[in-house]
Amino acid sequence: MGKFEKLQLKLLSGNADNNFSFDDLRNILLHFNFIERTTGGSHRIFYKEGIEEIINIQPKGSKAKPYQVKQVRLIILKYKLIADGK
């Protein structure tokens, strides 16, 4: 199992929302081809064609905010973006 697959399992398990790296959350979104836009501050806006929701994430230190980790997980599940290694 590769690094991304392990990271994806960590996100989907829901057991590490309080201890999820901001960079890891950002990398997951980029892996799924979301387009990133910066706001000039610490916020990062992600969007993707075919996805209604706009994702706004902001670090809390080096960690992602737990509610934002959950938001990303729910969007990945809703739109069936889960990578299966194929």
Side-chain angles (χ1 to χ4, degrees), residues 29-47:
L29 290 167
L30 293 174
H31 178 86
F32 287 119
N33 298 316
F34 278 82
I35 298 167
E36 178 181 21
R37 190 183 78 204
T38 58
T39 62
S42 60
H43 287 263
R44 301 288 185 266
I45 308 297
F46 291 88
Y47 59 94

Side-chain angles (χ1 to χ4, degrees), residues 55-70:
I55 301 169
N56 179 1
I57 63 174
Q58 179 185 29
K60 183 177 182 181
S62 64
K63 302 293 181 192
K65 294 181 178 181
Y67 78 92
Q68 293 170 344
V69 175
K70 181 179 179 182

